Amino acid sequence: MYYIDPHIHMVSRTTDDYETLAKMGCVVVSEPAFWAGYDRGSVDGFRDYFEQLTTFESRRAQSYGIRHYTWLCINAKEAENVSLSREVIAMIPEFLDRPGVLGIGEIGLNKNTKNEATVFLEHLDLAAKTDEQILIHTPHLEDKYQGTRMILDMLNDDRRIDPTRTLVDHVEEHTVRHVLDSGFWAGMTLYPVSKCTPARAADIVEMCGPERLLVNSAGDWGPSKPTAVPDFILEMRRRGHSESLIRRVVYENPLQFFQQSRGFDFEPPEASGATAATAI
Amino acid sequence: MISERTRLAVLEEEFLPVRAKILEIAASLDRIQRAEGEGSRDPNWLQIQSALETLLEDQAGRAERVQMLFSRPYNDQWRETHKHSTS
């Protein structure tokens, strides 16, 4: 089965991971800009990062037949530096017309602070003015519920934001319905310890249905598994769910969401005459 | 929606994994208790006790309730709080 990983940080992964993903049926990855593990010191640090995301990374993926797309922002962890954040937000439009750019992301909150909210709102304003799609990070652990509700408050306050072009990521059992009920897309991140597991993600699909739900690995430089989406596929199959339901969540839903971005030019393998991958 | 499996079939599948997870939790609690010093009033310990009690409730939605137990409550006046904060 072909699948799409809609949130994975490939700059932190090896080329071997691209090969493994390709063997497992991955045809598209989308990579939001995120925290490097340290706070970058200048706007030029971000300019270099966006250069890597929009040039080298897409070439590295293409050599394994995977299409690489990306999202641009300064992440919430670095948003405490409001002046640097504003410099980065002002620079982002230099890259928005590059091939493979899908929108603004992953913006959001980390510790739900005033500065994070300020920078989040300024990213929303940029997305609205440039008609870009939005990909949103929600906080971890005990801060997730309050942070998700704050994010939804801010999104719902801005009438320019189209929920059907906005993905709220890292939902879990206590936040998924708030996101879906407000009309947004919701992403479930499959992590070994925090966030969701393949089994709990399958539970959420069973409880909420597949509409506007995505699953991703968010594979990055920390403990994470880039092949987590195939783990979800296997869990769904083990429970006896239909191939059409599984395909909807891991392929058709992200495809439908991404197709709303002007930078998404992916030609589905079935349209190009290729036969379906049978690796999993 | 959509799970066509019977409760008994799911129970049979889940029995060994649940047994293993309960043993892991039991051993973790023993490990904490074997360690020296106080901790029985620590908020994390009390949260764990509350979460374990939640598991025994005879009502679906345990995962969501446990999530809420480990979450800071939503303050719908957060805009006011931020207006006056210095962060």
Side-chain angles (χ1 to χ4, degrees):
Chain A
M1 178 182 290
Y2 291 128
Y3 78 92
I4 293 171
D5 193 332
H7 185 145
I8 185 166
H9 300 290
M10 291 308 296
V11 297
S12 303
R13 309 300 311 189
T14 65
T15 299
D16 291 348
D17 286 339
Y18 274 119
E19 182 175 358
T20 302
L21 294 179
K23 286 175 178 171
M24 289 197 158
C26 182
V27 289
V28 172
V29 293
S30 116
E31 174 156 10
F34 85 138
W35 191 53
Y38 62 94
D39 291 350
R40 281 158 281 218
S42 71
V43 68
D44 283 334
F46 283 89
R47 187 176 277 112
D48 289 344
Y49 176 42
F50 297 164
E51 187 72 28
Q52 180 184 13
L53 286 173
T54 55
T55 57
F56 177 68
E57 209 53 48
S58 56
R59 283 202 301 274
R60 203 159 69 111
Q62 193 62 52
S63 63
Y64 290 93
I66 296 173
R67 290 300 310 270
H68 178 279
Y69 294 91
T70 193
W71 305 73
L72 306 175
C73 75
I74 176 168
N75 69 90
K77 272 182 183 280
E78 287 164 290
E80 284 306 320
N81 187 339
V82 176
S83 59
L84 174 59
S85 299
R86 286 178 171 148
E87 287 182 66
V88 174
I89 290 169
M91 179 269 290
I92 287 172
E94 293 176 23
F95 289 85
L96 287 179
D97 291 328
R98 290 263 182 113
V101 175
L102 296 184
I104 304 299
E106 58 181 305
I107 59 173
L109 301 176
N110 179 47
K111 292 294 179 188
N112 305 331
T113 67
K114 179 181 179 179
N115 286 346
E116 290 170 13
T118 297
V119 172
F120 177 75
L121 288 169
E122 293 185 16
H123 275 112
L124 288 188
D125 184 58
L126 172 65
K129 285 176 175 165
T130 54
D131 194 31
E132 295 291 339
Q133 294 215 106
I134 302 168
L135 193 156
I136 295 173
H137 164 95
T138 54
H140 304 275
L141 303 172
E142 70 269 23
D143 294 312
K144 181 179 293 294
Y145 185 71
Q146 165 79 3
T148 303
R149 296 290 303 270
M150 285 172 63
I151 285 167
L152 293 176
D153 287 344
M154 288 185 274
L155 290 170
N156 289 323
D157 279 350
D158 190 335
R159 294 184 176 203
R160 299 172 300 170
I161 302 301
D162 180 355
T164 66
R165 298 185 70 224
T166 305
L167 168 60
V168 180
D169 226 326
H170 315 320
V171 299
E172 295 181 50
E173 291 88 346
H174 55 323
T175 57
V176 61
R177 286 190 179 86
H178 290 284
V179 173
L180 292 175
D181 289 350
S182 298
F184 299 97
W185 292 78
M188 299 180 286
T189 295
L190 311 175
Y191 255 22
V193 180
S194 63
K195 303 193 175 75
C196 231
T197 62
R200 285 171 47 221
D203 291 337
I204 290 172
V205 173
E206 289 175 353
M207 291 186 289
C208 297
E211 190 176 355
R212 284 181 282 115
L213 264 182
L214 313 178
V215 292
N216 63 70
S217 71
D220 56 26
W221 44 259
S224 54
K225 190 176 180 189
T227 54
V229 176
D231 291 346
F232 168 83
I233 294 171
L234 285 178
E235 175 66 21
M236 291 288 282
R237 284 181 177 158
R238 195 181 66 78
R239 297 183 185 197
H241 289 302
S242 68
E243 293 296 296
S244 61
L245 173 64
I246 301 168
R247 179 181 159 91
R248 177 162 182 197
V249 177
V250 303
Y251 183 76
E252 290 166 3
N253 279 356
L255 197 61
Q256 186 184 345
F257 178 68
F258 292 160
Q259 279 171 338
Q260 302 176 107
S261 282
R262 64 177 178 274
F264 191 70
D265 57 354
F266 173 66
E267 185 180 1
E270 54 267 40
S272 65
T275 55
T278 54
I280 56 172
Chain B
M1 77 174 287
I2 35 187
S3 182
E4 293 176 355
R5 298 177 300 165
T6 65
R7 187 172 297 183
L8 274 180
V10 177
L11 176 59
E12 190 172 334
E13 276 182 20
E14 294 290 341
F15 180 75
L16 282 178
V18 170
R19 177 183 181 277
K21 289 171 194 168
I22 289 174
L23 277 172
E24 280 296 318
I25 292 172
S28 293
L29 297 179
D30 286 347
R31 206 173 299 134
I32 294 166
Q33 241 167 355
R34 277 201 311 275
E36 290 189 10
E38 260 304 302
S40 60
R41 308 301 301 168
D42 185 272
N44 287 344
W45 179 255
L46 297 175
Q47 267 192 337
I48 288 171
Q49 302 294 316
S50 300
L52 292 172
E53 288 166 11
T54 301
L55 301 188
L56 292 174
E57 294 171 4
D58 188 25
Q59 189 186 356
R62 295 175 190 83
E64 184 173 353
R65 291 198 295 282
V66 168
Q67 290 275 22
M68 291 305 295
L69 198 70
F70 287 114
S71 298
R72 296 188 207 283
Y74 170 58
N75 171 12
D76 64 2
Q77 300 301 307
W78 65 267
R79 290 180 186 81
E80 284 302 309
T81 312
H82 277 185
K83 199 180 291 180
H84 300 299
S85 78
T86 54
S87 63

